Amino acid sequence: MAKKTKKRCSWAVSNSLMKGYHDKEWGTPVHNDRLLFEFLILEGIQAGLSWNIVLQKRENYRKAFDNFDYTNIANYGEEKIEELLQNKGIIRNRRKIQATITNAKAFVEMQKEFGSFDGYIWGFIDKPIQNAWKSLEEIPAKTEISETISKDLKKRGFKFIGPTIVYAFMQAIGMVNDHTIDCFRYTELKNK
């Protein structure tokens, strides 16, 4: 008898890295500030690229950016930027590297103001938003909430943080359950 395979969102079936990310991370509520920062940065880095490319380089980013330690990154200077621009393991885009440093500084300020970035970002919703999409085509690229958060983050100095990036971030950290209803993760996360 053939082993029954789990039904996944169609975007996640191209390779084992995408499957692993989909099955274990995407849409799972995150409340750890370091991990929230990592997702915020990775979503900004993805702008104009595929998530698969970013996932393939994720470990290289962790090494290059001190495991996304925002307090260290906030202190990066021009010498570190030049070093990062030579790192073939990451996407060598000066604007995105500079935005990571700018965002680390803004992130630290947010922690001072709110006690944690988690307290800030999750303050926009009461509980995770449970959608019920039948297909990927139904899922919006941005929402009213992502536009509100994007405007607020920009006001606070964040870069590479438009409403589409913010919505992808919200999906990644579980603020919204956008697994399609036929995906095994939809039901798992609906009850979290």
Side-chain angles (χ1 to χ4, degrees):
M1 194 164 123
K3 186 180 172 188
K4 190 174 187 223
T5 56
K6 291 179 179 177
K7 176 77 172 135
R8 292 178 174 87
C9 297
S10 59
W11 63 263
V13 297
S14 60
N15 61 52
S16 60
L17 201 57
M18 291 287 277
K19 284 179 189 170
Y21 172 70
H22 169 276
D23 293 0
K24 296 180 181 90
E25 292 187 85
W26 194 72
T28 302
V30 174
H31 295 285
N32 173 286
D33 270 12
R34 195 216 53 83
L35 194 52
L36 288 169
F37 181 73
E38 178 175 339
F39 277 121
L40 192 69
I41 297 308
L42 292 176
E43 293 297 349
I45 287 165
Q46 185 202 349
L49 304 168
S50 77
W51 184 247
N52 188 40
I53 290 170
V54 174
L55 267 187
Q56 288 173 13
K57 295 181 178 288
R58 188 178 189 183
E59 284 307 316
N60 297 335
Y61 269 97
R62 285 177 173 157
K63 288 177 192 149
F65 286 90
D66 295 314
N67 199 32
F68 292 99
D69 182 333
Y70 41 84
T71 53
N72 285 350
I73 296 168
N75 294 309
Y76 286 2
E78 193 56 42
E79 192 176 309
K80 181 67 175 183
I81 293 170
E82 291 305 319
E83 176 192 315
L84 291 166
L85 286 169
Q86 301 307 311
N87 186 334
K88 292 182 176 145
I90 66 170
I91 294 149
R92 296 177 290 171
N93 178 307
R94 180 179 285 275
R95 287 180 55 230
K96 289 181 180 182
I97 291 169
Q98 288 173 321
T100 300
I101 299 164
T102 298
N103 290 350
K105 291 174 183 175
F107 198 90
V108 170
E109 290 306 308
M110 297 283 283
Q111 287 182 312
K112 289 177 189 170
E113 184 178 344
F114 292 92
S116 67
F117 187 80
D118 176 66
Y120 163 79
I121 200 68
W122 284 91
F124 283 94
I125 60 172
D126 295 328
K127 59 184 182 177
I129 298 163
Q130 300 296 328
N131 289 317
W133 310 119
K134 290 184 177 125
S135 70
L136 289 183
E137 294 73 35
E138 293 179 78
I139 302 172
K142 61 184 177 179
T143 62
E144 206 172 296
I145 295 172
S146 75
E147 288 183 14
T148 300
I149 295 170
S150 172
K151 281 180 192 161
D152 195 61
L153 289 171
K154 285 178 185 176
K155 190 175 74 182
R156 295 170 184 279
F158 284 81
K159 305 283 183 208
F160 274 92
I161 202 77
T164 301
I165 290 170
V166 169
Y167 193 67
F169 173 68
M170 291 171 66
Q171 291 170 315
I173 67 164
M175 286 179 76
V176 58
N177 181 358
D178 272 350
H179 286 276
T180 51
I181 57 172
D182 61 345
C183 173
F184 81 96
R185 289 288 285 157
Y186 175 77
T187 306
E188 285 182 0
L189 293 170
K190 189 175 181 192
N191 302 318
K192 287 217 180 235

